[in-house]
Amino acid sequence: ELEASVIAAAQGLINVLTQNIQQHHTPAQQNPVQSHEHQNRQQAQPTKQNVQEEMARSFPGFFTKRKGKNRFSPLQATPGKPKVCKIFSVYVYLVNKGCTSTPSAAEELELSQAGLGKRSLTLTDDMSHAMVNKILIEEYPKMEGVEGWLFYKASGAYHFQTPFILMVQVHQHSKFFLSLSVYAGGHGRRKFLAIPPDVDGYTGRLIRGVSGAGKTTMYIVPLQQDLDLTPLPSDATEFQKMPKAACQVCKENMPLHILALHVEDCMESAADDDEDWQSEVQVLSVTNSPLVHLDKESRDCGQDRKECPICCGCFPSDEIVLHASLCGESLQDTLNYSADSCVLREGSLSMADMSSDYDVLQWLAGQVDASKDFKICITRDNLFQRGLIQWQRQKKGSPVNKLNVTFIGEAGIDTGALSKEFLTEMMHGIERRLFEGSGKKGKSPVYSICDLENGFYRTAGEVFSVSLAQGGPAPCFFRNWCYQFLTTGDFDALQLTKDDVDDLEYALLIERVEAATDLTQFTDEIVSCGYTGLLKLDQKDTASRVIVLHATMRLTPMLQQIRNGMKVYNLLDVIGKHQTLCSNLFVPKEDDDRPDADYIMSILVPELSEKGSPRQARENAIINFLQDFLQDLEITGLT
């Protein structure tokens, strides 16, 4: 009220002074001496301008416009606008423990299911470290109680783990090689760069600057604790904002990344329930079978019980209909089961009683688990390469189960023929792609680190076991020393010669060393094989032996991976106990290279007369006579 009264008094005073000034400047009477022009000029001057000048002289603080500092009274001052803080959004990512690189795709799903992972936060520049920490705990309840954490961001460089040497030949006919160090195993992961906090900690202004106003993801790494990775329930507070979907089996609504983990368990539980239901039906059938009710024949059926004409058992009247529908089938199933069990017991063969390779195949066939199918769905295009990949990706079954093959785009049910065709193509592809050599005395594995890293040799060992157990072709293309290593796993007991080297580069090097008069021209090649002695002519045999050992010993990782794959159906144990018995399944026989009657007839390309003519019939008779003549010579031993 005091301020209002003062302002009103001041305004009243100003109004009175303004009126007095206007009356003072108004002329009372006209001066006759003044000329007509002077009167017009005086009347033309604006009265308002004079009033403003007088007021400015009397009250300079109110009516004078000055630049710079405001001279108005505090009562006349207008309040300023409030300061506006900048709002920005930033993505943060919480990991479960201290690490040096960004998580992989599999780790991201695991972190997300545990309530960690990526979140979007809305921050302002004026936020303190305590406010930022509070917001993080609200988004990640598992951060409550974490003693110390730091912000990181991903660098532009990828994180590599395993180095290996890649030898590149400079020219096709050149002896020079270029050695390159290649790193693998990073899987697209990038290194972390630590973001040091300010004196006040991680403030909103600092986060906005280092994240490029929210364009860069910030990673939260705990320094002393490891957060729990147990998947959270679908109704956890961390998943309230996430999109949800309903499971088609149990109809439960849950987040998408939890649904990915739930579907597999839900389907397995549903399958277990089906198996339990089937077992209950089997128990009911067996309970109602004649084998169980034979002891009830002596009982007398009462008025409310009736006798089954099949099993001669007495059952209540309201249950006899259900029993009759199961009794006949259960009888047949019981008889079939008993007959099959008898055959199985009569034909069973232990591992110690094997006397031929046929016994080995029969024993392996008995190890197949037919309770599930190992399903392979594949196209015929690039069948071998796609077959290896699809073989490794199957999760619902394993190679110990019955193989079931489906060719995409072709109608048909696999009753054994499609599986044998698939195994035949896979065996041919393995021999052509993963092995090298002439083939007459067997082949050796190709030295391929890439195929070893992809696990193709282990898959090849599994294919060998499945093919032998389920009617496919045998892998009869191994070198004898390779088969010996598969049976024992011991490289020291092998007796190797230069004929066992299938790598063309090392085979030619051995020939050049044996024919050389000066070994110094092969110094680099011999030393790279591990030779450390003097290069003299009397050391040719030693140098050749070193090359043979180097060319064969470097293949042991591939053979060891094949051994791991052959553990399916316990095939590795079988060939270990019956080494000589199983050699025909892996090592080709050393046939006589001399031409025989069949060889001569196979290379003949006769030019016959028109089909159906008398001349063509006589020519066929001559060919048959020649074949009989050659075979008779072989039988009599005249050739």
Side-chain angles (χ1 to χ4, degrees):
E1 294 178 356
L2 180 60
E3 292 178 358
S5 61
V6 172
I7 294 174
Q11 291 178 351
L13 178 59
I14 293 172
N15 293 333
V16 172
L17 294 176
T18 303
Q19 293 176 1
N20 292 334
I21 292 172
Q22 290 178 355
Q23 293 176 2
H24 176 72
H25 285 275
T26 302
Q29 53 184 349
Q30 187 74 21
N31 189 0
V33 181
Q34 292 178 344
S35 64
H36 181 72
E37 296 180 359
H38 178 72
Q39 292 178 359
N40 294 337
R41 185 170 60 250
Q42 187 176 6
Q43 292 177 0
Q45 291 179 354
T47 305
K48 187 176 180 179
Q49 182 177 3
N50 297 332
V51 173
Q52 293 293 336
E53 292 177 357
E54 291 294 336
M55 294 300 293
R57 284 196 299 267
S58 301
F59 302 96
F62 286 94
F63 294 95
T64 303
K65 295 182 180 180
R66 296 182 181 179
K67 296 181 180 180
K69 189 175 180 180
N70 188 9
R71 301 294 182 179
F72 286 96
S73 171
L75 298 177
Q76 299 288 337
T78 57
K81 295 182 180 180
K83 185 178 180 180
V84 179
C85 297
K86 294 183 179 180
I87 302 175
F88 64 97
S89 298
V90 62
Y91 283 105
V92 296
Y93 197 106
L94 177 61
V95 297
N96 64 316
K97 60 181 179 180
C99 52
T100 59
S101 59
T102 57
S104 62
E107 294 173 349
E108 287 181 358
L109 181 59
E110 186 178 8
L111 291 171
S112 179
Q113 293 169 349
L116 309 180
K118 197 172 186 180
R119 297 285 192 279
S120 177
L121 304 180
T122 301
L123 306 177
T124 58
D125 287 349
D126 60 343
M127 282 188 175
S128 62
H129 179 84
M131 298 174 64
V132 173
N133 189 42
K134 182 179 179 181
I135 294 177
L136 291 178
I137 293 177
E138 292 177 356
E139 287 290 335
Y140 302 104
K142 290 188 176 182
M143 282 192 64
E144 188 173 2
V146 173
E147 297 294 338
W149 52 269
L150 284 179
F151 269 131
Y152 287 79
K153 66 178 181 179
S155 64
Y158 285 92
H159 177 67
F160 300 107
Q161 296 175 349
T162 306
F164 62 90
I165 304 301
L166 177 65
M167 303 297 294
V168 181
Q169 190 173 3
V170 178
H171 190 267
Q172 181 179 3
H173 302 290
S174 175
K175 302 178 182 179
F176 298 99
F177 291 84
L178 177 63
S179 177
L180 301 176
S181 296
V182 181
Y183 291 81
H187 305 290
R189 305 175 66 177
R190 295 188 294 174
K191 290 184 178 180
F192 274 156
L193 294 179
I195 301 174
D198 286 343
V199 178
D200 299 331
Y202 289 110
T203 61
R205 190 178 302 275
L206 173 62
I207 297 174
R208 186 175 185 275
V210 298
S211 65
K215 296 180 181 179
T216 304
T217 302
M218 309 295 295
Y219 291 85
I220 308 172
V221 180
L223 299 179
Q224 303 181 66
Q225 292 109 325
D226 291 348
L227 302 181
D228 186 18
L229 287 180
T230 304
L232 297 177
S234 58
D235 57 349
T237 56
E238 289 86 347
F239 304 147
Q240 291 180 356
K241 301 179 182 179
M242 295 185 179
K244 297 178 176 61
C247 176
Q248 296 183 357
V249 180
C250 64
K251 307 302 181 182
E252 184 180 353
N253 200 27
M254 61 190 65
L256 298 180
H257 58 289
I258 297 297
L259 182 63
L261 182 66
H262 168 80
V263 168
E264 184 176 356
D265 297 336
C266 191
M267 294 181 65
E268 291 180 358
S269 62
D272 295 338
D273 294 340
D274 292 341
E275 292 178 359
D276 295 340
W277 180 82
Q278 293 177 1
S279 63
E280 291 178 0
V281 173
Q282 292 176 359
V283 170
L284 179 61
S285 301
V286 174
T287 304
N288 296 332
S289 66
L291 300 178
V292 179
H293 291 288
L294 289 177
D295 58 341
K296 298 182 180 179
E297 294 180 359
S298 59
R299 300 181 181 179
D300 295 334
C301 294
Q303 296 179 356
D304 297 336
R305 303 174 67 86
K306 294 183 180 181
E307 181 180 359
C308 176
I310 300 177
C311 63
C312 300
C314 294
F315 298 91
S317 300
D318 55 349
E319 296 181 3
I320 191 65
V321 178
L322 176 63
H323 167 76
S325 62
L326 300 173
C327 187
E329 296 179 359
S330 62
L331 177 62
Q332 185 66 28
D333 294 339
T334 303
L335 296 177
N336 293 339
Y337 175 77
S338 302
D340 294 340
S341 301
C342 294
V343 173
L344 182 62
R345 284 193 297 269
E346 292 176 0
S348 60
L349 184 67
S350 64
M351 189 182 300
D353 298 334
M354 297 178 183
S355 58
S356 63
D357 53 1
Y358 177 78
D359 294 338
V360 174
L361 298 178
Q362 289 295 108
W363 186 86
L364 291 175
Q367 306 300 312
V368 179
D369 183 10
S371 61
K372 291 184 179 180
D373 288 340
F374 183 55
K375 296 183 179 181
I376 301 293
C377 187
I378 193 174
T379 60
R380 293 186 181 273
D381 295 337
N382 198 10
L383 188 145
F384 170 69
Q385 189 68 24
R386 294 291 301 171
L388 290 177
I389 297 174
Q390 293 301 317
W391 189 286
Q392 295 177 348
R393 289 180 177 176
Q394 299 307 311
K395 303 299 181 184
K396 295 183 179 180
S398 64
V400 300
N401 302 123
K402 179 67 176 177
L403 180 62
N404 189 299
V405 178
T406 301
F407 290 103
I408 299 175
E410 299 181 10
I413 300 175
D414 186 11
T415 58
L418 297 180
S419 299
K420 292 179 181 179
E421 181 182 1
F422 172 75
L423 292 172
T424 302
E425 294 295 333
M426 291 296 295
M427 201 70 66
H428 178 66
I430 291 173
E431 180 182 2
R432 184 178 55 185
R433 161 75 183 278
L434 301 181
F435 285 79
E436 62 180 353
S438 60
K440 295 181 179 179
K441 296 184 179 180
K443 298 181 179 181
S444 303
V446 176
Y447 183 74
S448 175
I449 297 297
C450 183
D451 293 335
L452 183 70
E453 180 70 18
N454 292 329
F456 288 164
Y457 289 101
R458 180 174 57 254
T459 303
E462 295 177 354
V463 173
F464 296 158
S465 301
V466 173
S467 182
L468 291 175
Q470 302 191 28
C476 191
F477 49 77
F478 277 85
R479 281 276 188 181
N480 185 44
W481 74 269
C482 296
Y483 174 70
Q484 297 296 329
F485 182 83
L486 293 178
T487 57
T488 61
D490 186 11
F491 187 83
D492 297 334
L494 302 179
Q495 298 180 358
L496 300 171
T497 63
K498 65 179 182 179
D499 295 334
D500 294 325
V501 178
D502 290 319
D503 190 282
L504 183 59
E505 179 184 353
Y506 289 105
L508 294 177
L509 178 60
I510 294 174
E511 293 180 359
R512 291 197 298 266
V513 169
E514 291 180 347
T517 57
D518 184 12
L519 296 180
T520 57
Q521 57 181 334
F522 307 110
T523 301
D524 295 339
E525 291 86 346
I526 297 175
V527 171
S528 64
C529 294
Y531 181 78
T532 57
L534 298 177
L535 293 177
K536 297 182 179 180
L537 292 178
D538 55 352
Q539 299 293 330
K540 281 186 178 182
D541 295 339
T542 304
S544 300
R545 179 64 179 173
V546 169
I547 299 173
V548 171
L549 291 176
H550 175 75
T552 54
M553 187 180 296
R554 68 176 188 160
L555 302 179
T556 53
M558 291 73 182
L559 293 172
Q560 184 62 43
Q561 200 173 82
I562 294 176
R563 292 185 82 246
N564 296 335
M566 291 174 60
K567 292 180 181 179
V568 180
Y569 306 130
N570 296 322
L571 177 59
L572 197 62
D573 298 336
V574 174
I575 63 175
K577 293 182 179 180
H578 301 279
Q579 182 175 348
T580 304
L581 196 64
C582 300
S583 62
N584 294 333
L585 301 175
F586 293 88
V587 182
K589 297 180 180 179
E590 295 183 2
D591 298 331
D592 192 359
D593 294 337
R594 294 181 300 174
D596 54 2
D598 294 334
Y599 175 76
I600 295 175
M601 297 304 298
S602 64
I603 62 175
L604 288 179
V605 186
E607 295 182 1
L608 303 178
S609 301
E610 184 179 357
K611 186 177 181 180
S613 62
R615 293 178 58 86
Q616 193 258 351
R618 288 194 297 269
E619 291 167 353
N620 284 332
I622 294 173
I623 293 176
N624 293 333
F625 177 81
L626 176 62
Q627 184 179 16
D628 295 337
F629 174 73
L630 294 176
Q631 291 175 349
D632 291 340
L633 291 179
E634 287 183 350
I635 295 174
T636 56
L638 297 178
T639 57

